[in-house]
Amino acid sequence: MKNLYFILLLLPLLATAADADYTLIIKEHRFQPAELTIPAGQKIKLLIDNQDATAEEFESHPLNREKVIAGNSKATIYIGPLKAGSYPFFGEFNEATAKGVIIVK
Amino acid sequence: MFGTAIIVFREVLEAAIIIGIVAAATRDVPNRTAWLLAGLLFGLVGSGFVAASTDTLASLASGVGQEIFNAMVLGVAVLMLAWHNIWMASHGVELAAHAHSVGANIREGRSECSILLVVVGLAVLREGSETVLFLYGIAASEGGGIGGMLTGGVMGAIAGVVVGYTIYAGLLRVPMRWFFTATSALVLLLAAGMASTAAKFLVQADLLPSLASPLWDSSALLPENGIAGMLLHSLIGYDARPAGMQIVFYISVLISIGIGMKLSGKSRNKNQISGVI
């Protein structure tokens, strides 16, 4: 808990962090682009822009990430640094159509 | 419909397992069931509020408000479970002995009950808000599919509750001699698993370094989207590809609660001895 207080103190610093390195758009329950290439060994800031009216959960077991993005809103996820390879992800709320992969080179 | 059932099952499972273990661990606490239901109700109402404010929550702290919120909810639950275990290490046996005599240990039982309320409430809150958003999405986009959505949702929820109840009923069959050891061990692992998940959210929000991403990869051996992996994830915080920071949190919580229980158990023995003399 103590750690959390320290973390909260650091929050104002975050506001000045750099802009997103990569953007994924969710539209009609699909990711655009469905394939995203990022460099290996680097931490990446990923902006997910959900343009649908309903919420989506970005989920990836290989990336060890999960995050709910409300309808018509944006969210940030940090991933990596990763080894080269392909890391599939999906939208848990619309698994049939919302699929994609991050290629790390 | 089945897709809905599976997703609702996944969300309900985690909360149901937590409730099952906590309910078994507090079985001798007076009025335990009423507090448990109050926690459930608080969690359900809270889920609605959290789901409705997902927008606002997400935009806080430059887009990582959700991670901070989740990590704080988990952090509070870890503290409560730690308190429960440390308290039980010194009072559990007395409580079991006096549970049925009216008035005995009521006050102590009450503090234990408020822990129960918070842990159950937070577990339902976290998983419930996602379920609400998911079901709302289906209801909004499919128009006519509301009947199928409800059937699927209820099926998934029942399946999750059945697993939680099975764990509860199984724990109650454990002989009294081992009962406290068994439930304390499960609560301890539950708390460590939650701490690891909290660390995962803080890494995802870039508030903590990952240290290694991942530290290992056992997904080929025991995938976390399989039934066994899912159960182990909810029970002991199993992660097929954990970040190094998650393991640091996991082990730190395991050791801190373990030491707390040892110290508290010792002080109880000392009191008993001096009481006899």
Side-chain angles (χ1 to χ4, degrees):
Chain A
M1 205 57 203
K2 217 178 201 175
N3 285 337
L4 282 175
Y5 290 133
F6 283 123
I7 287 156
L8 286 177
L9 286 177
L10 292 174
L11 288 184
L13 296 177
L14 276 178
T16 57
D19 285 331
D21 299 321
Y22 296 89
T23 305
L24 274 178
I25 294 171
I26 301 172
K27 209 171 180 182
E28 284 157 10
H29 309 311
R30 280 171 207 282
F31 287 104
Q32 297 172 353
E35 198 179 302
L36 191 68
T37 308
I38 64 169
Q42 271 183 42
K43 187 162 66 194
I44 300 296
K45 184 178 177 186
L46 182 64
L47 183 77
I48 304 178
D49 181 0
N50 183 4
Q51 298 181 353
D52 286 339
T54 55
E56 183 57 274
E57 181 168 11
F58 175 90
E59 183 155 355
S60 169
H61 293 297
L63 291 166
N64 199 13
R65 291 290 179 266
E66 53 180 316
K67 177 155 181 159
V68 176
I69 304 124
N72 291 319
S73 62
K74 299 182 174 102
T76 312
I77 293 183
Y78 289 85
I79 53 177
L82 296 164
K83 285 190 211 124
S86 68
Y87 298 80
F89 59 83
F90 61 97
E92 194 184 8
F93 294 173
N94 298 282
E95 216 175 326
T97 51
K99 284 179 200 153
V101 61
I102 288 178
I103 310 277
V104 182
K105 277 184 181 159
Chain B
M1 189 178 87
F2 282 106
T4 312
I6 288 169
I7 292 183
V8 172
F9 171 70
R10 254 186 257 166
E11 304 288 351
V12 171
L13 179 71
E14 200 158 328
I17 286 181
I18 294 171
I19 295 173
I21 293 174
V22 173
T26 53
R27 70 168 181 188
D28 291 317
V29 173
N31 298 326
R32 182 264 277 155
T33 312
W35 285 88
L36 208 143
L37 289 176
L40 199 63
L41 195 69
F42 158 77
L44 287 175
V45 172
S47 319
F49 280 108
V50 173
S53 52
T54 307
D55 250 359
T56 328
L57 209 56
S59 58
L60 292 176
S62 1
V64 294
Q66 190 183 113
E67 281 86 350
I68 295 171
F69 176 77
N70 278 332
M72 291 209 300
V73 165
L74 286 162
V76 172
V78 169
L79 280 181
M80 293 291 148
L81 290 178
W83 184 7
H84 163 86
N85 251 14
I86 293 169
W87 187 84
M88 270 297 180
S90 65
H91 295 86
V93 182
E94 295 156 47
L95 195 63
H98 298 288
H100 303 292
S101 58
V102 185
N105 284 321
I106 287 284
R107 198 185 300 157
E108 289 183 339
R110 203 170 287 152
S111 75
E112 181 61 18
C113 277
S114 40
I115 293 177
L116 183 69
L117 178 110
V118 173
V119 170
V120 169
L122 291 181
V124 174
L125 179 86
R126 220 167 57 78
E127 308 297 328
S129 58
E130 285 182 17
T131 315
V132 170
L133 282 174
F134 165 66
L135 293 178
Y136 176 76
I138 296 189
S141 56
E142 280 177 19
I146 291 181
M149 171 202 100
L150 281 179
T151 323
V154 169
M155 269 166 45
I158 290 176
V161 169
V162 165
V163 176
Y165 186 79
T166 308
I167 290 176
Y168 170 73
L171 277 173
L172 290 194
R173 290 221 163 74
V174 172
M176 210 55 209
R177 271 179 297 161
W178 299 312
F179 182 76
F180 283 111
T181 319
T183 51
S184 313
L186 280 175
V187 169
L188 186 62
L189 292 168
L190 207 57
M194 285 178 171
S196 154
T197 309
K200 174 177 139 175
F201 281 122
L202 295 175
V203 169
Q204 176 170 311
D206 199 29
L207 293 167
L208 285 178
S210 67
L211 298 183
S213 63
L215 190 61
W216 71 71
D217 185 348
S218 49
S219 59
L221 213 65
L222 188 55
E224 56 201 342
N225 45 357
I227 289 285
M230 254 160 67
L231 277 175
L232 281 177
H233 173 76
S234 303
L235 273 173
I236 64 167
Y238 170 72
D239 215 320
R241 303 174 186 83
M245 187 55 88
Q246 289 182 254
I247 305 306
V248 171
F249 269 54
Y250 193 95
I251 294 175
S252 310
V253 165
L254 219 53
I255 293 177
S256 329
I257 301 181
I259 292 176
M261 287 168 67
K262 265 252 146 61
L263 293 178
S264 142
K266 256 191 203 136
S267 75
R268 171 183 159 262
N269 288 339
K270 220 182 270 165
N271 287 345
Q272 269 191 343
I273 292 165
S274 61
V276 169
I277 296 168

